[in-house]
Amino acid sequence: MKKIIVGITGASGTVYAIDLLEKLHRLDDVEVHLVMSQWAKKNLELETDYSLSQINELADKVYHINDQGAAIASGSFLNDGMVIVPASMKTVATIAYGIGDNLIARAADVAIKEQRKLIIVPRETPLSVIHLENLTKLARVGAQIIPPMPAFYSHPKTIQDLVNHQTMKVLDAFGIPNEVDERWK
């Protein structure tokens, strides 16, 4: 069974997180550990029709953002990696500088120090030099940066088609077989 940590921050793009959670929830061999920032919860209200309880039901274990004693805050909690989707630039900076001031940042810090998979789905545009330097710093220590950039070779017709492509890329990065979207032929 794969254990995947999903962090959701306050950047716009909560639909990416929801889609990933829904697709992971359908898999019997994946255990999802979820932590959301306060602003992620606010964006859930602003950007979607989902309730917090609906999102929490998509995870096997839900943690409070300030629970520094949570299992996912320790390197001894064995897992297959973490994805932060969407990742705010505040969270990116916090992780890049090793400031584990909340559970998302601490769990990401643990992923880095334990050399486990860390996927960042940044949601900001335009990117400043500071943003780019922080993302580069994370990439240098092994984080995989997977920004939501649509592919048009599959001729997407809906927003869901675009979201599916992003989810496919994240699932691929975790080595989870999927046919969420069309692949380049």
Side-chain angles (χ1 to χ4, degrees):
M1 165 130 359
K2 283 188 183 278
K3 292 182 183 178
I4 296 176
I5 301 165
V6 177
I8 306 175
T9 71
S12 182
T14 309
V15 295
Y16 294 113
I18 294 168
D19 193 64
L20 177 64
L21 287 169
E22 287 176 339
K23 287 174 172 70
L24 289 172
H25 185 70
R26 293 182 197 132
L27 303 173
D28 293 331
D29 59 344
V30 175
E31 183 178 282
V32 175
H33 294 256
L34 174 65
V35 59
M36 293 178 72
S37 74
Q38 290 306 111
W39 283 109
K41 293 174 183 178
K42 185 64 177 172
N43 273 352
L44 181 68
E45 287 177 36
L46 296 172
E47 296 182 352
T48 78
D49 294 326
Y50 286 80
S51 69
L52 183 58
S53 63
Q54 287 174 298
I55 298 306
N56 289 343
E57 288 172 12
L58 297 173
D60 296 286
K61 179 73 175 151
V62 178
Y63 303 92
H64 188 276
I65 187 70
N66 294 322
D67 184 4
Q68 295 284 31
I72 63 173
S74 173
S76 68
F77 175 74
L78 298 177
N79 63 79
D80 296 279
M82 177 177 191
V83 57
I84 303 172
V85 53
S88 68
M89 288 302 110
K90 175 184 183 273
T91 299
V92 168
T94 300
I95 297 165
Y97 283 90
I99 304 168
D101 65 346
N102 65 46
L103 188 54
I104 292 173
R106 174 60 188 163
D109 187 55
V110 169
I112 292 168
K113 80 179 185 72
E114 298 293 332
Q115 297 182 347
R116 295 187 182 128
K117 182 164 287 296
L118 176 61
I119 298 169
I120 306 290
V121 180
R123 246 302 297 127
E124 185 65 71
T125 193
L127 293 168
S128 74
V129 171
I130 294 169
H131 301 150
L132 293 167
E133 287 175 351
N134 288 339
L135 288 166
T136 300
K137 187 173 185 178
L138 292 176
R140 283 191 181 120
V141 297
Q144 191 170 3
I145 313 300
I146 307 178
M149 297 198 176
F152 293 98
Y153 54 78
S154 61
H155 301 280
K157 294 178 181 37
T158 66
I159 291 172
Q160 185 59 52
D161 291 341
L162 299 173
V163 172
N164 282 342
H165 184 80
Q166 178 66 23
T167 299
M168 178 185 76
K169 300 300 270 185
V170 172
L171 293 173
D172 287 351
F174 278 116
I176 297 173
N178 71 90
E179 293 305 320
V180 172
D181 194 25
E182 287 187 43
R183 298 184 181 275
W184 178 256
K185 294 182 170 74

